[in-house]
Amino acid sequence: MKTIKRMMDHLYWADGRILDALAESGTKDKDLLKLVRHVAVAERVWLSRLQGKGSAQYSLWEETEDLTELRTMFEENAEHYRVYIEGLGESELDEMIDYASLNGAPFQTSVRDILSQVLLHGQYHRGQINRALRMESAEPVQVDYITFARL
């Protein structure tokens, strides 16, 4: 549990740093902002599944121009994940969760693997976001785990 909690702390930190970099860049790139929103919504989708709720109400690929709204989404995600993880015991990490994908296909995945997916998915897309910032001649932000660990 200690490792997962630490990795989730990194996720919250890295999400915040990416949002700060986007705000500083002043980007209006709709595809880039759609990607950032995708990360926030995907975090919500997986949390809903972990909580035994449906996720069909979420749309992963909508456009947005509102960084304030995105920041609120990420902050709410962090708050809800913290509560969820604090109530989670080590033995529960291997419990299987039944859920449906957004297209309705049934799946069963362990809590541990779902949390790993959330962590890795966000890091993958933060790399894409940083690359897009660089292509706009904006300054990418360091979001590597080791940078977080050195704080």
Side-chain angles (χ1 to χ4, degrees):
M1 276 306 299
K2 184 177 177 182
T3 299
I4 286 179
K5 285 180 181 180
R6 183 80 169 144
M7 295 297 292
M8 291 300 291
D9 285 342
H10 168 259
L11 176 136
Y12 314 139
W13 171 85
D15 284 346
R17 289 186 50 98
I18 281 291
L19 289 167
D20 291 346
L22 287 163
E24 188 174 315
S25 77
T27 187
K28 299 295 181 201
D29 182 322
K30 289 183 183 205
D31 289 333
L32 179 54
L33 294 173
K34 184 191 284 189
L35 181 59
V36 177
R37 184 187 174 282
H38 167 79
V39 175
V41 173
E43 288 178 8
R44 285 192 175 186
V45 165
W46 286 112
L47 183 62
S48 289
R49 293 170 179 168
L50 288 166
Q51 295 171 327
K53 300 175 185 173
S55 58
Q57 71 273 26
Y58 295 108
S59 176
L60 288 172
W61 293 106
E62 288 182 9
E63 289 187 3
T64 186
E65 295 179 13
D66 189 347
L67 272 179
T68 302
E69 177 187 336
L70 290 173
R71 187 175 299 276
T72 299
M73 288 175 72
F74 279 110
E75 289 170 354
E76 288 172 355
N77 289 348
E79 179 182 332
H80 293 293
Y81 269 103
R82 282 186 178 105
V83 169
Y84 174 79
I85 289 171
E86 281 305 313
L88 195 62
E90 182 75 34
S91 64
E92 294 169 291
L93 289 172
D94 294 317
E95 286 185 8
M96 299 303 284
I97 302 292
D98 293 307
Y99 62 94
S101 67
L102 292 179
N103 67 6
F107 288 96
Q108 189 176 62
T109 307
S110 72
V111 170
R112 182 185 316 274
D113 286 340
I114 289 172
L115 290 173
S116 296
Q117 166 62 21
V118 171
L119 292 162
L120 295 170
H121 177 259
Q123 192 65 357
Y124 169 74
H125 285 308
R126 284 188 293 277
Q128 291 179 313
I129 294 162
N130 260 334
R131 183 173 188 273
L133 285 171
R134 178 169 282 142
M135 291 175 69
E136 288 188 2
S137 299
E139 190 63 33
V141 63
Q142 182 57 257
V143 291
D144 285 347
Y145 178 80
I146 197 66
T147 303
F148 167 77
R150 290 174 180 156
L151 296 176

